[in-house]
């Protein structure tokens, strides 16, 4: 389901025609070698494409406009090998509309002490040329990523790789289409928001459909297709009857299989990548979509419960940004549900009524069938599991009335201390950074929601850079957070983002 273009990044080296052909040929040779070796590192999620050295206003402007027009180009990496007078860059930068990185590197790692002369210095002056270029980008208030260090350093390559995922998130954000088959849950504030502003800021299309249109698509799924999917479920997951009649249990599971197929066909037909539902608005559906939604999330769809289209879009965005990642640990919607406040064991039990993505599961996944305490439908089947240990980020995008704010909390996911045999939903359990109490206080001061878009596979820096590229505020709750400073951050945001 995660459909993405074969994105590439352009590598543009700046110079000028003052240095003579011999110097410029070395500049080109060096930048080609850097591009080749970066591509061969095996660490980059996308290919880098070398471009001829940029030495004139005309060429710079033309190259940036070609980058704009090339559908596969997800951003430009710039580097000044020599000195490139930065007024030459103004027109090109003014017209450039894609993610920009300034790689502040130089070809040689060490100063060649024995042989260095003025010719060498004039040819290798990134320390000097990159400052001239950086100045104009700052003066023009253009959002860009600056990465400093030798291009062969694994840390530098890791930063380029990480930024590429952010850049693809920036590019793909404007293709996200969210289907609402239910409105926001009545009276709930934090899941609401300005959909027009979200389309202006993020490019998201958020459209409503009557629930019974998708319910018709579900009803149209044949019994044989449904049964084939039920067989797949029974092969893949443990079946926990818990005293229920096996045939009756299977009929409940089949309802979810039919919903999965009907929803997926409807989403594909209408070209949507994320969906919201609401337990209180199910039309002709026999069960709240549980297992069905969990499977769709696993396939790469975004999801938000109770009409929460912001979370649906964010989950989709994070799934795109982590697509194809080696050893990915998963991305899901989650909800802060219940605390453990025992000293030294503090944490937040994360769950939802049903809809947690199985990509975050650790160990076996079971199907259970249990009544819902809310709503008026038959007992829905759902996937139940616990989640992986380790570091992750929980994000909440909120609408403050005049603007959006992205709250990003680093969290440490842990095993539940004990089994919870009576809890029939998938869970995660984490302790927010810097500690349970500061983390929760900061989250509440920032206005963070109870629904989050969570991932093990992205960093706060990546999501913060995405937010900055969208022109919205990002606030970080992590090991450095102190409430007094955090409140100042929020106050600064009030002034800066209007
Ligand atoms: Mn909820």
């Amino acid at each position: 389901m995660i459909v993405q273009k074969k994105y590439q990044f352009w590598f543009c080296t700046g110079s000028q025609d003052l240095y003579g052909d011999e110097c410029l040929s070395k500049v080109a040779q060096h930048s080609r070698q850097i591009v080749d070796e970066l591509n061969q590192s095996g660490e980059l999620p996308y290919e880098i494409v070398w471009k001829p050295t940029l030495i004139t206003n005309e060429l710079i402007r033309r190259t940036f406009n070609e980058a704009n027009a090339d559908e596969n180009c997800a951003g430009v990496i710039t580097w000044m090998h020599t000195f490139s007078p930065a007024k030459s860059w103004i027109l090109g930068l003014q017209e450039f509309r894609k993610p920009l990185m300034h790689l502040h590197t130089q070809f040689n790692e060490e100063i060649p002490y024995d042989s260095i002369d003025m010719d060498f210095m004039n040819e290798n002056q990134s320390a000097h040329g990159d400052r001239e270029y950086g100045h104009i980008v700052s003066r023009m208030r253009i959002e860009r990523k600056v990465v400093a260090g030798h291009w062969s350093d694994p840390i530098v390559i890791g930063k380029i790789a990480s930024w590429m995922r952010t850049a693809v998130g920036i590019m793909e954000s404007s293709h996200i289409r969210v289907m609402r088959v239910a409105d926001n849950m009545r009276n709930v504030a934090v899941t609401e928001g300005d959909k027009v502003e979200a389309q202006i800021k993020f490019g998201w299309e958020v459209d409503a459909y009557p629930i019974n249109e998708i319910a018709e698509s579900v009803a149209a799924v044949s019994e044989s297709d449904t049964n084939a999917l039920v067989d797949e479920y029974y092969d893949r997951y443990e079946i926990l009857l818990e005293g229920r009649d096996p045939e009756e249990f299977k009929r409940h599971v089949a309802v979810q299989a039919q919903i999965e197929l009907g929803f997926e066909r409807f989403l594909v037909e209408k070209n949507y990548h994320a969906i919201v539902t609401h337990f209180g608005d199910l039309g002709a559906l026999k069960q709240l979509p549980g297992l069905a939604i969990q499977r769709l999330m696993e396939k790469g769809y975004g999801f938000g419960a109770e009409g929460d289209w912001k979370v649906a879009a964010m989950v989709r965005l994070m799934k795109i940004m982590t697509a194809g990642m080696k050893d990915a640990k998963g991305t899901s919607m989650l909800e802060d549900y219940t605390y453990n406040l025992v000293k030294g064991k503090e944490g937040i039990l994360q769950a939802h009524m049903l809809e947690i993505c199985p990509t975050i599961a650790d160990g076996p996944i079971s199907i259970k069938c249990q009544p819902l305490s809310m709503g008026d439908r038959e007992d829905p089947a759902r996937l139940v599991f616990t989640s992986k240990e380790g570091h992750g980020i929980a994000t909440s995008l909120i609408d403050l009335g005049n603007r959006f704010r992205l709250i990003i909390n680093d969290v440490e996911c842990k095993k539940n201390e004990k089994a919870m045999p009576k809890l029939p939903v998938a869970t995660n359990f984490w302790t927010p950074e810097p500690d349970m109490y500061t983390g929760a206080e900061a989250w509440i001061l920032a206005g963070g929601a109870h629904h989050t878009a969570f991932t093990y596979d992205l960093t706060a820096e990546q999501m913060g850079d995405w937010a900055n590229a969208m022109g919205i505020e990002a606030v970080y709750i992590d090991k450095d957070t102190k409430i007094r400073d955090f409140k100042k951050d929020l106050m600064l945001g009030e002034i800066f983002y209007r």
Side-chain angles (χ1 to χ4, degrees):
M1 161 60 203
I2 296 197
V3 190
Q4 264 186 55
K5 297 192 181 74
K6 280 201 174 300
Y7 280 121
Q8 295 174 328
F9 289 83
W10 290 12
F11 194 92
C12 294
T13 308
S15 188
Q16 62 178 330
D17 51 14
L18 205 70
Y19 299 106
D21 290 345
E22 195 192 331
C23 175
L24 282 176
S25 86
K26 278 194 190 160
V27 168
Q29 186 190 321
H30 291 167
S31 65
R32 270 184 193 277
Q33 188 180 334
I34 291 174
V35 168
D36 287 346
E37 293 194 22
L38 286 174
N39 282 328
Q40 283 158 21
S41 72
E43 299 298 320
L44 300 182
Y46 299 94
E47 188 193 2
I48 302 180
V49 179
W50 180 85
K51 290 286 163 182
T53 311
L54 302 184
I55 51 172
T56 62
N57 305 21
E58 293 73 25
L59 185 57
I60 292 168
R61 187 180 188 185
R62 188 179 346 129
T63 303
F64 274 124
N65 276 298
E66 284 167 4
N68 285 335
D70 184 328
E71 279 202 354
N72 292 319
C73 174
V76 171
I77 300 170
T78 47
W79 167 51
M80 305 305 121
H81 187 303
T82 49
F83 196 80
S84 181
K87 289 181 188 171
S88 324
W89 289 77
I90 291 173
L91 271 177
L93 285 169
Q94 267 171 343
E95 291 170 8
F96 185 53
R97 295 190 308 272
K98 287 187 173 178
L100 180 67
M101 169 176 278
H102 181 181
L103 178 61
H104 180 42
T105 191
Q106 75 178 13
F107 183 70
N108 54 303
E109 188 174 18
E110 190 177 28
I111 294 173
Y113 293 104
D114 296 335
S115 61
I116 189 167
D117 56 13
M118 281 315 290
D119 285 345
F120 180 92
M121 293 249 281
N122 281 328
E123 186 185 296
N124 297 277
Q125 50 173 311
S126 307
H128 173 162
D130 269 336
R131 281 173 164 77
E132 164 75 358
Y133 168 71
H135 166 75
I136 202 70
V137 186
S138 287
R139 172 155 177 173
M140 293 172 73
R141 274 74 169 174
I142 291 173
E143 188 66 36
R144 88 288 208 187
K145 188 71 177 174
V146 180
V147 171
H150 193 254
W151 51 274
S152 69
D153 181 349
I155 294 170
V156 170
I157 297 172
K159 286 181 178 180
I160 297 170
S162 164
W163 172 79
M164 282 179 162
R165 292 193 176 279
T166 306
V168 165
I170 294 163
M171 295 299 296
E172 283 283 324
S173 185
S174 62
H175 306 307
I176 293 177
R177 287 162 48 83
V178 183
M179 176 183 287
R180 299 165 66 235
V181 294
D183 200 355
N184 191 69
M185 185 174 167
R186 279 185 284 278
N187 287 316
V188 176
V190 78
T191 51
E192 277 282 14
D194 182 338
K195 296 189 283 293
V196 178
E197 194 60 23
Q199 186 156 359
I200 292 169
K201 277 278 185 289
F202 313 121
W204 301 343
E205 291 178 49
V206 185
D207 300 325
Y209 283 78
I211 180 72
N212 279 339
E213 267 190 45
I214 200 166
E216 278 169 26
S217 170
V218 172
V221 175
S222 71
E223 202 175 328
S224 62
D225 286 357
T226 303
N227 290 340
L229 187 57
V230 170
D231 289 346
E232 186 187 323
Y233 292 171
Y234 272 60
D235 283 345
R236 185 156 165 206
Y237 308 115
E238 290 180 14
I239 303 299
L240 293 181
L241 293 174
E242 299 177 312
R244 295 181 88 112
D245 174 71
E247 284 310 309
E248 181 254 11
F249 188 97
K250 204 169 199 170
R251 281 197 296 278
H252 281 254
V253 174
V255 170
Q256 293 287 335
Q258 199 181 19
I259 294 174
E260 179 184 334
L261 291 168
F263 271 37
E264 190 171 16
R265 288 170 191 177
F266 198 72
L267 288 163
V268 168
E269 184 198 327
K270 305 208 177 309
N271 189 28
Y272 286 87
H273 321 105
I275 185 167
V276 304
T277 60
H278 175 8
F279 66 88
D281 185 6
L282 293 174
L285 295 176
K286 293 181 198 143
Q287 298 176 12
L288 173 63
L291 200 164
I293 287 291
Q294 293 177 289
R295 298 258 314 175
L296 289 173
M297 257 194 283
E298 187 180 26
K299 289 174 179 171
Y301 287 93
F303 173 74
E306 290 98 48
D308 195 337
W309 53 268
K310 298 198 298 304
V311 162
M314 288 301 294
V315 169
R316 168 67 184 168
L317 175 75
M318 289 158 92
K319 284 186 179 280
I320 295 166
M321 289 172 71
T322 56
M325 188 179 270
K326 275 180 281 179
D327 309 318
K329 293 169 72 178
T331 298
S332 181
M333 171 188 138
L334 282 164
E335 180 167 71
D336 299 297
Y337 235 115
T338 299
Y339 288 128
N340 190 33
L341 294 177
V342 174
K343 291 282 177 197
K345 298 176 180 177
E346 293 97 335
I348 316 171
L349 186 64
Q350 302 288 325
H352 201 256
M353 292 168 76
L354 304 172
E355 313 92 332
I356 307 300
C357 179
T359 55
I360 67 171
D362 189 26
I365 300 177
S366 315
I367 300 183
K368 287 192 181 197
C369 206
Q370 289 268 342
L372 271 189
S373 50
M374 281 178 265
D376 55 356
R377 301 303 154 105
E378 59 180 47
D379 304 352
R382 73 287 302 273
L383 297 173
V384 180
F385 52 83
T386 58
S387 298
K388 298 178 186 86
E389 293 177 275
H391 185 266
I393 53 165
T395 67
S396 174
L397 179 69
I398 58 166
D399 185 339
L400 287 166
N402 58 345
R403 63 199 176 85
F404 291 104
R405 169 185 285 159
L406 184 68
I407 300 149
I408 309 165
N409 192 181
D410 282 83
V411 300
E412 193 62 29
C413 301
K414 302 168 178 176
K415 284 279 138 201
N416 296 316
E417 192 188 359
K418 295 171 189 168
M420 297 174 286
K422 291 189 172 173
L423 191 67
V425 287
T427 59
N428 197 340
F429 181 84
W430 70 54
T431 308
E433 288 187 9
D435 61 76
M436 173 70 221
Y437 307 106
T438 311
E441 286 167 15
W443 187 271
I444 285 172
L445 284 168
H450 49 278
H451 289 164
T452 56
F454 163 84
T455 184
Y456 292 101
D457 305 319
L458 293 169
T459 62
E461 181 179 335
Q462 285 172 303
M463 292 314 298
D465 286 347
W466 173 81
N468 293 156
M470 298 293 118
I472 67 157
E473 178 187 20
V475 294
Y476 304 91
I477 305 171
D478 60 19
K479 60 182 178 8
D480 298 324
T481 297
K482 293 188 175 64
I483 292 296
R484 196 165 62 187
D485 298 337
F486 188 72
K487 286 173 80 170
K488 276 191 199 146
D489 286 347
L490 297 180
M491 288 160 66
L492 280 173
E494 291 288 349
I495 299 166
F496 186 81
Y497 296 95
R498 287 176 180 275

